[in-house]
């Protein structure tokens, strides 16, 4: 039901009719704040789905998101509105994550919601890494190749979703509470994250310069558990740009 128009109404009904407590997933500490967060995500994703449909939204927040996401709008929409093997869209999972954003990190979410393994892992990944994006912006520096490689290694494609929810969270602040310099840095982080995912696959998933066979035959190393750690370390250095050739590896 979160995938349909006006998901914020669905959230209000789940709460008002006493359905949400049946899932044993905690209570909404501030329903008004949650509805505001859902509405902001709705504005962002509506733009991705149809750039022409933008009415009655706060100009600063949505226009900033448009500026950061415009080159990748259609590709982002394809990811968010695609139907998975369970017949559900990622869009619904985004709203669900927003509803659970302020709950306990160790909350059990798979069984009461009958999520698939993939959905459960995606949701857990978002909730357990929910502060990373804000930390990127707070550090007030360019996100380097290593940082973004490790970011997507941890989150996968959900690394594209975390900024959307995080921006919605930041935009909940009042005009007197909002740090506009921090907001600009968060928008810059969004641009960096989106651009690397879509334009720089060599950072996200570098082609190995050395394989296990190379270690075995070229360096006469005995196979063992350390192979994986060694290759992953080389992969990280390659993504970071410190290693670029087979000889350097």
């Amino acid at each position: 039901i979160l995938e349909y128009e006006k998901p914020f109404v669905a959230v209000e009904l789940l709460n008002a009719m006493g359905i949400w407590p049946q899932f044993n997933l905690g209570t909404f500490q501030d329903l008004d704040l949650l509805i505001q967060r859902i509405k902001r995500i709705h504005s962002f994703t509506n733009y991705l789905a149809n750039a022409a449909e933008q009415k009655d939204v706060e100009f600063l927040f949505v226009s900033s998101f448009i500026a950061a996401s415009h080159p990748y709008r259609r590709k982002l929409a394809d990811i968010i509105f695609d139907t998975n093997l369970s017949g559900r869209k990622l869009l619904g999972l985004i709203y669900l994550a927003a509803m659970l954003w302020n709950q306990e990190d160790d909350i059990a979410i798979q069984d009461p919601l009958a999520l698939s393994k993939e959905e459960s892992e995606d949701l857990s990944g978002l909730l357990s890494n929910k502060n990373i994006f804000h930390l990127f912006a707070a550090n007030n520096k360019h996100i380097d190749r290593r940082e973004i490689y490790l970011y997507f290694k941890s989150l996968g494609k959900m690394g594209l979703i975390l900024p959307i929810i995080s921006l919605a969270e930041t935009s909940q602040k009042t005009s007197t509470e909002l740090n506009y310099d921090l907001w600009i840095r968060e928008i810059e982080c969004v641009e960096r994250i989106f651009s690397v995912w879509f334009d720089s696959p060599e950072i996200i998933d570098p082609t190995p310069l050395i394989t296990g066979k190379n270690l075995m035959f070229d360096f006469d190393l005995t196979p063992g558990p350390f192979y994986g750690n060694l290759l992953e370390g080389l992969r990280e250095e390659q993504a970071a740009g410190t290693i670029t050739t087979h000889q350097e590896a």
Side-chain angles (χ1 to χ4, degrees), residues 13 24 68 72 82-83 104 106 135-137 140 145 188 203 241:
L13 288 174
N24 296 318
Y72 315 104
D82 185 36
T83 301
E104 295 296 329
D106 59 353
L135 290 175
F136 277 157
N140 194 22
R145 292 171 56 121
E188 291 172 345
I203 297 178

Side-chain angles (χ1 to χ4, degrees), residues 1 9 15 48 100 104 107 112 142 155 173-174 178 194 233 241:
I1 65 172
V9 175
N15 184 68
L48 296 177
L100 296 170
E104 295 296 329
I107 194 168
H142 181 73
L155 282 162
K173 301 180 185 299
T174 65
L178 181 64
F194 287 172

